[in-house]
Amino acid sequence: HGDTVPSSDVADMGWTKSANIEYFDDVVDALIPVNFHVGCMGLPPASHDSVDSIPPMPTGGNLDDKRIGIGTTMYYPVEVEGALLSMGDAHMAQGDSELDGTGVEASLTGTFRVTVIKANDLNDWQKELDYPMGETDTHWIVHSFTEIDYLDTYFDNPSDIYGASSIDPAMKNIFMQTRKFMETNYGMSDQEATSYITQGVDFGITQLVDGNWGMHSEIPKATFDGVALTNTAPLNVSSLGTPDLTLSAETVHWGYFSKSLEPVLTIEDGAEIVVEMSTHHACDDWDLMIKGDEGMESVFTWSETLKAESFRGASGTGDGVHVLTGPIYVEGAEPGDVLKVEILDLEPRFNPDGKFYASNAAAWWGFQARVKQVDGSDFDAGDFTGTPNSNDEFITIYELVQDAESKEYYTKPSYQFLWPTLTDPDGVERNFIQYPGTCVPHDPHGDTVPSSDVADMGWTKSANIEYFDDVVDALIPVNFHVGCMGLPPASHDSVDSIPPMPTGGNLDDKRIGIGTTMYYPVEVEGALLSMGDAHMAQGDSELDGTGVEASLTGTFRVTVIKANDLNDWQKELDYPMGETDTHWIVHSFTEIDYLDTYFDNPSDIYGASSIDPAMKNIFMQTRKFMETNYGMSDQEATSYITQGVDFGITQLVDGNWGMHSEIPKATFDGVALTNTAPLNVSSLGTPDLTLSAETVHWGYFSKSLEPVLTIEDGAEIVVEMSTHHACDDYDKMIKGDQGMESIYEWSSTFKAEDFRGATGGGDGVHILTGPIFVSGAEPGDILKVEIIDLLPRANPDGKTYGSNAAAWWGFQARVNESDGTAFDAGTFTGTPGSNDEYITIYEILQDLDSGNAYAVPSYQFEWPTITDPNGVERDYIAYPGTCVPHDSHGDTVPSTAVSDLGWSKADSITYYDSPFPAKIPINFHIGCMGLAPASHESVDSIPPLPSGGNLDNKRIGIGSTMYYPVEVAGALLSMGDTHAAQGDSELDGTGIETSLTGKFKISVIKSADFNDWQKILDFPLGETNDHWVVNSFTEIDYLETFSENPGDIYGVSNLDDAMKNTFSQTRKFIMAAYNLTEREAITVITNGVDFGVAQVVDGNWGMFSEIPKSLFESKMTESAQCPSECAVQRGRKSRELLFGYFIDCSGCFD
């Protein structure tokens, strides 16, 4: 080949080939630097007589680490006399991963020095050495693998390691081994080691080919030599520069946007500006947030003789609250343009003592006020709720703190107090939080003796304030963001700053922080940008009324995009749009434009607040963006939104309640994968429950079902699960798979399972494997189900597919299509000749370049009118297990298997074989898993219930643990409806429905052993390493609410009730799990917990909350106090120039 004529030596030895070899002699002229190293060197283990050389082990072997070269020293634990060192598999070069199977394999000659370190002479790290360790002049190199010692894990069958290859456990193991080395070599604590590893140690992939996949860490010796620096100075930190807009009564306006306001600053298109912003809650504690700060005092001064700003709110009577800096006139901005605002930086405004505080108000407008308190009473707010002598409103003051070890910043509660009845300097008494800029005249409390400043201005209270100084030590990660930023509308002269609108305003989205770009439609000349209501932290929902309200200084770049230069999505922009490096963020509200809906009385929006219309609007705006930005069809956009876009609650407090969607750019970049292979599926071992018609039941849970498996408490089991949508493409998901064929067999003479649904008439859809009887489980116990692993069920060709049905029960069917027409579904919608339902078939592929797995759309088709083998015709998706008799399309020629069974269709199917090349990241999870309820003999599998069932929460995947209340003997666990991916909402009706096999550990928690939160569990609770996940629904227990007619739940589906229930369950859980008061729970939930939409398709619509465990795991090392000089210099001169000497600001925010 080429210029090469090989010798006959190999053939002469007897080697032959079946055909001529295909050569590629004109290859890329790549130059790979030489790095001679030894791929396989080590010692034999004592545990086995002989072991395969491929998987690496504690005594070394096939590490394939390119660092094991000239100058490197290796340390191997000796297990047999004489050590018996062997070496080979040398390489001329290799990248980290050895991705395609080998390095540049070469024969080398090496010179080695081999030394024994006797057990009696081992130092601390050597005493703990149970892995092959490397050392160079500059680094220590730790090695670990999928299994630290695969010979121990798979003692009887070591080759099982080849079916368990995974990076994830390798990462856990390399971290543990690295931490152990740091602790033993340097004498570090766990906390020190973990923090320093995080900041100073690099982890990398060694190899992904040797069965026991390998990772390594590189520990720089110089970083951890233990020698303290002795000649240092604080880092000379520059400020954001001289503010373009400083805080003063002259540069802010209170509580409104107005096209008639005179600009306080004029800037050029493209200008970078620094703007100071004040929180409107600063006077909740004057001493901590205002006193001694000239700008803040200017804004908040209100005495008997002077009120800094008397016009507050759109009408001047306090009907808007935010202190907004601006407006800023942007030259060149005209109606029809788009204003682009990039947030370059946000910094806190320290008080003169160098500290930073903020306030959270749990007030009458908060969502918690719509829900009964824990004791069953209403939330009172003085005269506002008609309870003049009772007020449950309270304030939590937060402080910014830094962990001295990790250098991470948190905000934690400092103290709480009940809102008092106050009289302002003008003599007006108010017994609830009513007027913006109200100042609280504090009493001494805890270690605090307040100044008399507020009282001296003329503020009084009717009684002493009740304080709570010993508050929960919660640590909420800091996330500086701007709550209210936007432009005035053209439609009204002045509008209240609270409800968000198309031109922005009070979005209260925690994503509008550093690195985010916002796009606002311009309606008035100059745009007139204003900003304020900054936050130190907030959870998705802003539940109790506010975030952690803080005064910040921001740097912004402001650019005009002219109408003539708008791209397609910008031309359609009628909402505030966000962009980060990785996501697009769409915003919408109860009313897309409340000023248009309630033109004559805009404040009517406060009586119409609702999540449900916000969900419709955010879907429509998201769909519009997908169509205009990516050129997608309605069908493509809806399917991809369902699988790859998350919807979440932004705020439930601002009148025009807000939702957002997060669109990952990488998923929809339009670049098709070009180097792929079917996902490599390993085995989880012999299944305890294999798929067959005998091991599944269709569409219901029942306490009367005979168990198909009985297990002991604590058992680990492997269960096969089938999607109920496999027959959307029989050839790809069923054909040739004996178990799947057994379930789906339905001909004119035989139907594998005739009883489908709670009544047997198809009123439930899911194929559920089970039930499983758990020995020892009794009513009143809790069943703990740990999901150890989930793997896809490949077809006989080694490929994996899934189906997504955009159906009549999907949320999109409640919204007009892009062309303005209603969504038809045959006779179900009274449109027998018209059906808009469609199916998207996805293939699960591995991108060989990145190693990531994706679901990629293969094709779409419109749902046809189908006649089943019993002669029943249906013109919409109506009966579980329906099989589609496909036509030839694209490159596909279907088999006759479905038509041979007796299925037929009324007409040819319409196909779309070139769908937009979306790449949906794989997230295998279980849509429907739970226990049989005691209240009814048999219940439909679709609406979720207290004992679990069809939660359709994408978090119920590998590594998650679920807790279900047990209502019947043996628990009777069933599982199915598995997904390859799904976005939060499952919007169009299903996820990417895929058949999976799962490995589970099942344990019974006996009622006598319950901890506090387990005693109150009446909902399905999830747990991951980092979070608790609370699930709730439109009805907490729909079987109790609609005991006589459970199907009535389908007529009351809504998110408003689901949000109330999720909040109340979250509050209950946090109080029980962490022994919090109701006040503590509410403020922590508001600022540290996110609420989201699980599904809007299952009758009993679902929401969830994610509670970070870290909130309550306070391990923070206290920082030094921040000297006042460090705060004074910010934004002015360097410390050296200002004071003539360096100041220790190591404990400060800088």
Side-chain angles (χ1 to χ4, degrees):
H1 62 98
D3 298 328
T4 300
V5 180
S7 74
S8 63
D9 291 7
V10 174
D12 291 345
M13 286 193 288
W15 294 92
T16 63
K17 56 184 184 290
S18 62
N20 287 342
I21 297 172
E22 185 175 0
Y23 292 94
F24 307 93
D25 288 295
D26 184 18
V27 291
V28 61
D29 190 23
L31 295 175
I32 300 173
V34 165
N35 169 31
F36 293 127
H37 60 277
V38 185
C40 188
M41 177 168 63
L43 318 179
S47 60
H48 292 68
D49 186 63
S50 180
V51 297
D52 169 8
S53 67
I54 298 174
M57 51 192 166
T59 54
N62 194 31
L63 302 188
D64 280 327
D65 185 355
K66 67 180 186 178
R67 293 154 193 81
I68 305 177
I70 300 169
T72 296
T73 297
M74 291 301 298
Y75 299 85
Y76 302 107
V78 177
E79 296 190 7
V80 300
E81 183 178 342
L84 301 183
L85 174 67
S86 299
M87 55 193 73
D89 184 34
H91 299 168
M92 182 157 52
Q94 178 200 301
D96 277 335
S97 78
E98 199 182 25
L99 190 134
D100 72 0
T102 74
V104 181
E105 307 286 318
S107 298
L108 302 181
T109 299
T111 304
F112 304 85
R113 181 183 294 119
V114 184
T115 307
V116 178
I117 306 173
K118 297 300 290 181
N120 289 339
D121 299 326
L122 300 181
N123 62 27
D124 288 341
W125 73 259
Q126 292 166 346
K127 291 175 183 177
E128 299 294 327
L129 191 68
D130 57 355
Y131 56 90
M133 180 73 175
E135 182 184 9
T136 68
D137 288 342
T138 58
H139 288 78
W140 294 102
I141 306 168
V142 179
H143 297 92
S144 201
F145 324 108
T146 299
E147 290 289 339
I148 290 176
D149 185 354
Y150 82 97
L151 295 170
D152 179 63
T153 305
Y154 304 110
F155 184 85
D156 293 328
N157 295 291
S159 62
D160 285 353
I161 185 62
Y162 291 102
S165 307
S166 175
I167 302 174
D168 297 301
M171 183 63 218
K172 291 181 181 177
N173 293 333
I174 190 63
F175 163 63
M176 290 191 293
Q177 298 288 41
T178 303
R179 180 180 61 187
K180 180 170 68 174
F181 176 79
M182 300 284 276
E183 293 171 358
T184 54
N185 193 46
Y186 298 114
M188 294 181 183
S189 68
D190 186 324
Q191 291 86 345
E192 290 171 326
T194 301
S195 179
Y196 302 159
I197 287 169
T198 303
Q199 313 310 331
V201 174
D202 290 333
F203 291 92
I205 305 293
T206 315
Q207 51 77 19
L208 300 173
V209 296
D210 295 332
N212 202 17
W213 289 0
M215 295 190 67
H216 63 270
S217 65
E218 292 186 275
I219 303 168
K221 292 179 177 179
T223 301
F224 305 107
D225 61 9
V227 180
L229 300 173
T230 57
N231 186 21
T232 66
L235 184 65
N236 190 13
V237 180
S238 60
S239 74
L240 294 181
T242 303
D244 297 274
L245 271 180
T246 55
L247 267 181
S248 74
E250 289 70 39
T251 59
V252 303
H253 50 105
W254 277 80
Y256 63 101
F257 290 87
S258 175
K259 63 184 179 183
S260 301
L261 270 171
E262 285 296 317
V264 297
L265 178 69
T266 297
I267 63 173
E268 294 180 351
D269 177 13
E272 288 189 12
I273 56 173
V274 177
V275 179
E276 295 182 344
M277 295 170 284
S278 166
T279 172
H280 53 295
H281 277 274
C283 225
D284 291 345
D285 193 317
W286 170 282
D287 289 356
L288 296 182
M289 291 182 274
I290 298 174
K291 184 177 174 65
D293 182 321
E294 182 178 350
M296 296 292 287
E297 288 185 348
S298 167
V299 172
F300 279 90
T301 296
W302 180 359
S303 67
E304 294 172 352
T305 58
L306 175 66
K307 186 177 181 182
E309 177 55 70
S310 60
F311 195 91
R312 304 185 183 189
S315 67
T317 59
D319 53 333
V321 298
H322 307 102
V323 178
L324 299 175
T325 307
I328 301 165
Y329 186 99
V330 185
E331 292 180 342
E334 299 174 301
D337 297 340
V338 169
L339 195 70
K340 177 182 178 182
V341 181
E342 299 167 76
I343 305 175
L344 305 180
D345 203 359
L346 294 169
E347 289 196 353
R349 187 182 185 93
F350 289 99
N351 68 18
D353 293 330
K355 295 185 177 183
F356 185 64
Y357 292 89
S359 176
N360 167 237
W364 59 265
W365 63 86
F367 190 84
Q368 87 291 340
R370 297 169 180 261
V371 179
K372 295 283 186 183
Q373 299 191 94
V374 172
D375 62 8
S377 63
D378 291 328
F379 186 96
D380 293 341
D383 287 340
F384 183 79
T385 54
T387 55
N389 298 315
S390 179
N391 191 355
D392 294 309
E393 297 176 305
F394 62 92
I395 301 293
T396 306
I397 300 298
Y398 281 83
E399 182 180 4
L400 175 71
V401 294
Q402 183 184 27
D403 185 334
E405 288 187 357
S406 69
K407 300 302 181 184
E408 295 295 328
Y409 287 90
Y410 301 92
T411 181
K412 73 173 187 176
S414 178
Y415 72 94
Q416 294 181 313
F417 65 92
L418 296 182
W419 190 260
T421 296
L422 298 176
T423 300
D424 68 30
D426 296 333
V428 179
E429 183 181 79
R430 301 178 181 91
N431 61 9
F432 63 98
I433 303 175
Q434 185 178 7
Y435 193 81
T438 293
C439 294
V440 179
H442 280 284
D443 302 313
H445 61 97
D447 298 326
T448 300
V449 179
S451 73
S452 63
D453 290 9
V454 174
D456 292 346
M457 284 194 293
W459 293 91
T460 62
K461 56 184 181 290
S462 62
N464 288 342
I465 296 172
E466 186 173 357
Y467 292 93
F468 308 92
D469 289 294
D470 185 17
V471 290
V472 59
D473 192 25
L475 294 176
I476 299 171
V478 165
N479 169 31
F480 293 128
H481 60 278
V482 184
C484 188
M485 176 166 65
L487 319 178
S491 59
H492 292 68
D493 187 64
S494 182
V495 297
D496 169 6
S497 67
I498 298 174
M501 52 193 165
T503 54
N506 194 31
L507 301 187
D508 280 327
D509 185 351
K510 67 178 188 176
R511 294 153 191 82
I512 305 177
I514 299 170
T516 296
T517 297
M518 293 299 298
Y519 299 87
Y520 303 107
V522 176
E523 295 190 7
V524 301
E525 183 181 331
L528 301 184
L529 173 67
S530 298
M531 54 195 69
D533 185 34
H535 299 167
M536 181 155 53
Q538 179 200 297
D540 277 337
S541 79
E542 201 182 24
L543 188 135
D544 72 2
T546 75
V548 181
E549 307 287 318
S551 298
L552 302 181
T553 298
T555 302
F556 306 86
R557 182 184 295 119
V558 184
T559 307
V560 177
I561 306 175
K562 297 300 292 179
N564 288 339
D565 299 325
L566 299 181
N567 61 28
D568 288 342
W569 72 259
Q570 292 166 347
K571 291 175 184 176
E572 300 294 326
L573 191 68
D574 57 356
Y575 56 89
M577 181 74 175
E579 182 184 10
T580 70
D581 287 341
T582 58
H583 288 77
W584 295 103
I585 305 167
V586 178
H587 298 92
S588 201
F589 324 108
T590 300
E591 291 288 338
I592 291 176
D593 185 354
Y594 82 98
L595 295 169
D596 179 63
T597 306
Y598 304 110
F599 184 86
D600 292 328
N601 295 292
S603 63
D604 285 353
I605 186 62
Y606 291 102
S609 307
S610 176
I611 304 173
D612 291 289
M615 181 67 212
K616 290 183 180 178
N617 292 334
I618 191 63
F619 163 60
M620 288 192 294
Q621 298 287 42
T622 303
R623 180 181 61 188
K624 180 171 68 175
F625 176 79
M626 300 284 274
E627 292 173 357
T628 54
N629 193 47
Y630 298 114
M632 294 181 184
S633 68
D634 186 321
Q635 291 86 342
E636 290 172 327
T638 300
S639 181
Y640 303 159
I641 287 169
T642 302
Q643 311 312 330
V645 174
D646 289 334
F647 292 92
I649 305 295
T650 316
Q651 52 76 20
L652 300 172
V653 297
D654 296 331
N656 202 17
W657 289 358
M659 293 190 70
H660 61 269
S661 66
E662 293 185 273
I663 303 168
K665 291 179 177 178
T667 300
F668 305 108
D669 61 8
V671 179
L673 299 174
T674 56
N675 188 20
T676 65
L679 189 62
N680 188 15
V681 180
S682 57
S683 170
L684 294 178
T686 303
D688 298 273
L689 268 180
T690 55
L691 271 179
S692 75
E694 287 70 40
T695 59
V696 303
H697 50 107
W698 279 77
Y700 63 101
F701 290 88
S702 174
K703 62 185 178 182
S704 301
L705 270 171
E706 284 297 316
V708 296
L709 178 68
T710 297
I711 62 173
E712 296 298 316
D713 176 15
E716 289 190 6
I717 58 173
V718 175
V719 179
E720 296 182 343
M721 296 167 282
S722 166
T723 172
H724 54 294
H725 279 274
C727 226
D728 292 345
D729 193 317
Y730 187 101
D731 289 357
K732 287 181 166 52
M733 292 182 274
I734 298 174
K735 183 177 173 62
D737 182 323
Q738 185 177 351
M740 296 292 286
E741 288 182 346
S742 166
I743 293 169
Y744 277 92
E745 187 175 358
W746 179 2
S747 68
S748 58
T749 58
F750 180 77
K751 187 178 181 183
E753 177 55 69
D754 191 47
F755 195 92
R756 305 185 183 189
T759 65
D763 53 331
V765 297
H766 306 101
I767 298 174
L768 300 175
T769 308
I772 301 166
F773 186 99
V774 185
S775 298
E778 300 174 301
D781 296 340
I782 289 173
L783 197 71
K784 178 181 178 182
V785 181
E786 299 171 71
I787 306 174
I788 299 171
D789 206 352
L790 294 170
L791 292 177
R793 186 181 185 93
N795 66 20
D797 293 330
K799 297 183 177 182
T800 305
Y801 293 89
S803 174
N804 165 235
W808 59 264
W809 62 87
F811 190 85
Q812 87 291 343
R814 297 169 179 260
V815 178
N816 282 346
E817 297 188 277
S818 296
D819 61 7
T821 61
F823 186 96
D824 293 340
T827 53
F828 181 80
T829 54
T831 55
S834 178
N835 189 356
D836 293 312
E837 295 177 307
Y838 58 93
I839 302 292
T840 306
I841 300 298
Y842 286 84
E843 184 174 5
I844 314 303
L845 293 173
Q846 188 156 24
D847 178 16
L848 298 180
D849 294 327
S850 68
N852 297 324
Y854 298 97
V856 176
S858 179
Y859 70 95
Q860 295 182 311
F861 67 92
E862 296 179 5
W863 189 261
T865 296
I866 293 175
T867 300
D868 68 30
N870 299 137
V872 179
E873 184 181 78
R874 302 178 180 92
D875 63 353
Y876 65 99
I877 304 175
Y879 191 82
T882 293
C883 293
V884 179
H886 279 285
D887 302 314
S888 296
H889 61 99
D891 298 327
T892 299
V893 179
S895 74
T896 61
V898 173
S899 56
D900 289 347
L901 287 170
W903 295 89
S904 62
K905 57 184 182 292
D907 207 344
S908 296
I909 297 173
T910 300
Y911 292 93
Y912 305 92
D913 287 297
S914 299
F916 182 92
K919 302 181 289 288
I920 312 291
I922 289 301
N923 169 32
F924 294 127
H925 61 278
I926 304 175
C928 189
M929 177 167 65
L931 317 180
S935 60
H936 292 68
E937 185 72 21
S938 180
V939 298
D940 169 7
S941 66
I942 298 174
L945 56 162
S947 56
N950 193 31
L951 302 187
D952 281 326
N953 189 329
K954 68 178 187 176
R955 292 152 191 81
I956 305 176
I958 300 169
S960 290
T961 297
M962 292 300 298
Y963 299 88
Y964 302 109
V966 177
E967 296 187 13
V968 300
L972 298 185
L973 172 67
S974 298
M975 55 192 72
D977 183 34
T978 48
H979 301 168
Q982 177 200 297
D984 279 335
S985 78
E986 200 183 26
L987 189 133
D988 72 2
T990 76
I992 299 179
E993 309 287 319
T994 307
S995 299
L996 301 181
T997 298
K999 186 174 184 179
F1000 306 86
K1001 182 177 181 180
I1002 315 294
S1003 307
V1004 178
I1005 305 175
K1006 300 298 293 180
S1007 58
D1009 300 326
F1010 282 176
N1011 60 27
D1012 288 341
W1013 70 257
Q1014 290 164 348
K1015 292 175 183 176
I1016 55 89
L1017 191 69
D1018 59 355
F1019 57 89
L1021 178 71
E1023 181 184 10
T1024 69
N1025 288 334
D1026 304 320
H1027 289 81
W1028 296 101
V1029 183
V1030 175
N1031 297 282
S1032 200
F1033 325 109
T1034 299
E1035 290 288 337
I1036 290 176
D1037 185 354
Y1038 83 97
L1039 293 173
E1040 179 183 39
T1041 306
F1042 305 110
S1043 175
E1044 299 297 325
N1045 295 292
D1048 288 352
I1049 185 64
Y1050 291 101
V1052 298
S1053 309
N1054 74 89
L1055 289 175
D1056 290 305
D1057 289 333
M1059 180 64 210
K1060 290 180 181 178
N1061 292 332
T1062 305
F1063 162 61
S1064 64
Q1065 297 287 43
T1066 302
R1067 178 183 61 187
K1068 179 172 68 174
F1069 173 78
I1070 286 182
M1071 291 176 65
Y1074 297 105
N1075 193 30
L1076 269 59
T1077 67
E1078 184 169 3
R1079 288 180 301 278
E1080 290 172 328
I1082 288 173
T1083 190
V1084 170
I1085 287 169
T1086 300
N1087 298 299
V1089 174
D1090 290 333
F1091 290 85
V1093 177
Q1095 51 78 20
V1096 285
V1097 296
D1098 296 332
N1100 203 16
W1101 288 359
M1103 295 190 68
F1104 64 89
S1105 66
E1106 289 187 281
I1107 305 167
K1109 293 180 178 178
S1110 60
L1111 292 176
F1112 306 103
E1113 294 174 357
S1114 176
K1115 297 178 181 177
M1116 196 186 74
T1117 303
E1118 292 296 331
S1119 293
Q1121 295 297 318
C1122 183
S1124 60
E1125 294 91 342
C1126 297
V1128 169
Q1129 70 84 32
R1130 292 181 67 80
R1132 296 171 175 81
K1133 301 177 182 179
S1134 73
R1135 300 180 183 87
E1136 189 173 23
L1137 291 175
L1138 186 60
F1139 298 106
Y1141 57 91
F1142 284 111
I1143 299 164
D1144 181 10
C1145 295
S1146 59
C1148 302
F1149 187 80
D1150 291 338

